[in-house]
Amino acid sequence: MKKRILLKALGDRESFNALDNAFEQFNRAAKILELTEDQIAMIMEPRRIIEVQLPIRMDDGHVKLFKGFRAQHSMIRGPAKGGVRFHQDVSVDEVKALAFWMTYKCAVVNIPMGGAKGGIIVDPNELSDSELERLARRYFSELIDVFGPDTDVPAPDVNTNPQIMAWFMDTYSMHKRQYLPAVVTGKPKALGGSQGRGTATAMGMVHCVRNAAEHFDLDMKNLTVAVQGYGNAGSWAAKLLHDDGCTIRAISDISGAYISKDGIDPQLAIDFVRRNKKLAGFEKEKGIKKLTDPMALLELPVDVLIPAALENQISNSNSPRVQAKIIAECANGPVTPKADDILTENGVFVIPDILCNAGGVTVSYLEWVQNRMGYYWSKERIADNLKEIMDNAFATVLQTSLEKKVTMRTAAFIVAIDRVAEAAELRGLYS
Ligand code: NAD
């Protein structure tokens, strides 16, 4: 008989530690699945975490030391997969949590990959381009035996981009004396990057929002939207939803939040960021106002709220004031478990990160497949594959949520944990 385990839960306590929150989400689904202690021991904790010291010669000649991490959560269903973040707030627990979410994200969309995540504690805005390149290359070469097309395949995340992926790929290929593009995804197209990778995270979210709108009988053309974060995920989220007929009421980035009663043209904002790096000064454009408190964006009376920045943005304190009908999580971990409970009570439909932003890793997987074949697919084929994968995943999670009367987040974890646990049991333990 299966021994049911009750994991230590957060209870009423609110944590802003991403790993606490990731495990709490796991816990909620594990209880419903009645996982045994043995099963949990095999699939919950990260498999390994590596810390590296990165001494970099700065442009003025002095040496500065940075710290980097790579967490491999799971390689049970395939090579570990997950982005590398450059941010001053990167921590061991954040990297572990992000790696954990990657395992279950790949399992929700049923792609044959495990989970990993990396990070360097750095504010890249303080580095010149050549310092950034030296840091990226040193990170990759320090972890050269950890990464590999069959072991661990990184991708972009916060403050990393296709150019940095190109440096990673070049560093690895030079060490191995071969052209090895499959070691990293999110590369420029000239180096084996896939069609559709740039827009993939946001496009996957759009498929989820379209499915949610259909479920609630809402017309996309009548939806108003607020987007927090205007980087890769957020700017494309605004642009693609605008293309679907939605009105973009507000957008934000690290410089502040900007609102327009007539709606914001996302392309105007994208061009503005391209010229100025940030949205700072965007309020000078016609009809745009800057909010005094940027966090007020999360409480605007819109239909769809898209967190596309960092973790823990919607918590115990502000969740009671959220007015959106749908929250589509482009960011990882933007809603704490306590906030999840409050949003559920208030009837807010949360499309969880491990489903909602899985379009990125899905097209990364397609990029990896193409690299390994040396044969490249058209934009249309990638778009069709992404749509099919996201629509199937959304339907499976929604059905589980309705059948088991649980939130979409717990349903997504139920679907994903089931797949990872089955694979772990079949593989057994090598000892
Ligand atoms: P990015 O570096 O391209 O953009 C991050 C954006 O967030 C920037 O506009 C930045 O100014 C803004 N930001 C930072 N702190 C903020 C704050 N306190 N308030 C408002 N805005 C703030 O990063 P990205 O790749 O777009 O990633 C954003 C989120 O999406 C992250 O949680 C990431 O893990 C997640 N995600 C990204 C991908 C991807 O393919 N890039 C895939 C899945 C999930």
Side-chain angles (χ1 to χ4, degrees):
M1 200 173 71
K2 278 188 174 180
K3 194 162 106 195
R4 205 183 124 189
I5 183 158
L6 288 176
L7 297 170
K8 208 175 109 210
L10 287 175
D12 279 345
R13 189 168 68 85
E14 177 155 68
S15 173
F16 290 94
N17 177 302
L19 192 61
D20 276 354
N21 291 341
F23 284 171
E24 172 73 9
Q25 293 165 353
F26 180 95
N27 187 9
R28 292 176 179 196
K31 277 185 193 159
I32 291 166
L33 281 167
E34 301 198 346
L35 288 192
T36 63
E37 269 184 62
D38 291 358
Q39 285 173 311
I40 290 170
M42 286 165 85
I43 65 168
M44 194 174 91
E45 291 279 347
R47 179 170 161 168
R48 64 171 164 163
I49 162 101
I50 302 139
E51 181 183 315
V52 288
Q53 308 304 326
L54 308 166
I56 301 303
R57 177 128 358 240
M58 306 302 277
D59 291 346
D60 66 5
H62 88 284
V63 174
K64 192 166 175 187
L65 189 64
F66 296 89
K67 200 189 282 294
F69 306 99
R70 184 69 177 172
Q72 292 177 334
H73 179 266
S74 171
M75 294 158 90
I76 293 170
R77 298 177 71 253
K81 186 87 193 79
V84 179
R85 177 174 293 194
F86 286 5
H87 196 275
Q88 58 277 18
D89 297 336
V90 162
S91 68
V92 177
D93 275 1
E94 184 190 59
V95 171
K96 281 184 180 176
L98 291 163
F100 165 95
W101 281 318
M102 286 308 299
T103 298
Y104 294 103
K105 189 180 300 183
C106 291
V108 170
V109 285
N110 212 2
I111 59 174
M113 301 199 107
K117 205 80 178 195
I120 301 179
I121 305 173
V122 58
D123 180 354
N125 298 312
E126 291 178 357
L127 301 189
S128 68
D129 285 352
S130 54
E131 288 166 344
L132 190 65
E133 176 174 355
R134 287 197 288 279
L135 181 62
R137 287 185 183 276
R138 181 72 189 215
Y139 174 76
F140 218 80
S141 60
E142 199 61 49
L143 292 165
I144 205 88
D145 299 322
V146 169
F147 296 125
D150 288 312
T151 50
D152 185 342
V153 185
D157 191 75
V158 174
N159 290 331
T160 53
N161 55 32
Q163 176 60 73
I164 293 175
M165 298 308 112
W167 291 328
F168 284 168
M169 174 268 182
D170 179 69
T171 303
Y172 189 78
S173 296
M174 291 306 289
H175 272 263
K176 302 287 175 186
R177 299 281 180 256
Q178 290 175 51
Y179 177 75
L180 291 166
V183 70
V184 57
T185 59
K187 300 176 294 293
K189 285 197 201 81
L191 287 174
S194 178
Q195 295 285 348
R197 178 60 186 89
T199 54
T201 303
M203 196 62 228
M205 174 278 296
V206 171
H207 290 306
C208 289
V209 171
R210 284 181 189 159
N211 278 298
E214 196 183 322
H215 177 63
F216 291 111
D217 205 14
L218 300 168
D219 184 348
M220 292 292 284
K221 294 197 168 45
N222 295 332
L223 298 183
T224 53
V225 178
V227 184
Q228 184 200 43
Y230 216 68
N232 173 274
S235 63
W236 281 112
K239 169 89 173 76
L240 296 173
L241 284 174
H242 184 260
D243 291 350
D244 258 24
C246 301
T247 303
I248 310 303
R249 191 67 76 209
I251 57 174
S252 75
D253 72 359
I254 192 71
S255 73
Y258 308 85
I259 184 165
S260 164
K261 65 176 172 28
D262 305 321
I264 293 169
D265 174 357
Q267 189 59 52
L268 188 73
I270 288 172
D271 294 340
F272 188 93
V273 172
R274 205 165 280 151
R275 286 195 307 274
N276 304 296
K277 291 200 164 172
K278 286 184 194 145
L279 284 167
F282 192 57
E283 69 275 18
K284 295 193 185 94
E285 298 289 327
K286 198 166 163 260
I288 311 281
K289 285 200 172 124
K290 188 171 181 179
L291 291 175
T292 334
D293 173 12
M295 291 296 278
L297 174 139
L298 303 170
E299 300 167 21
L300 292 172
V302 290
D303 300 299
V304 184
L305 175 60
I306 304 188
L310 296 170
E311 297 91 73
N312 299 325
Q313 297 301 300
I314 303 172
S315 64
N316 202 5
S317 58
N318 59 359
S319 55
R321 295 190 298 275
V322 166
Q323 299 186 62
K325 296 186 185 79
I326 296 170
I327 297 181
E329 295 183 341
C330 269
N332 287 303
V335 174
T336 66
K338 198 79 203 104
D340 250 339
D341 294 340
I342 294 168
L343 294 169
T344 306
E345 249 170 60
N346 291 346
V348 182
F349 185 78
V350 179
I351 311 174
D353 44 13
I354 61 167
L355 168 66
C356 193
N357 70 37
V361 75
T362 299
V363 177
S364 271
Y365 161 61
L366 299 176
E367 178 175 330
W368 177 80
V369 171
Q370 293 170 84
N371 291 155
R372 302 186 64 119
M373 288 191 300
Y375 178 73
Y376 289 85
W377 296 328
S378 68
K379 208 169 159 179
E380 291 71 26
R381 174 163 182 175
I382 300 288
D384 289 351
N385 282 356
L386 175 63
K387 179 176 170 8
E388 190 186 342
I389 290 171
M390 293 306 299
D391 286 352
N392 284 342
F394 188 94
T396 308
V397 172
L398 181 62
Q399 196 189 345
T400 306
S401 154
L402 297 173
E403 273 171 20
K404 301 215 179 279
K405 299 191 172 41
V406 293
T407 61
M408 287 288 280
R409 187 177 324 275
T410 298
F413 272 101
I414 288 174
V415 170
I417 290 173
D418 211 24
R419 288 178 180 151
V420 177
E422 185 192 359
E425 288 223 10
L426 286 168
R427 284 183 65 157
L429 289 178
Y430 176 80
S431 53

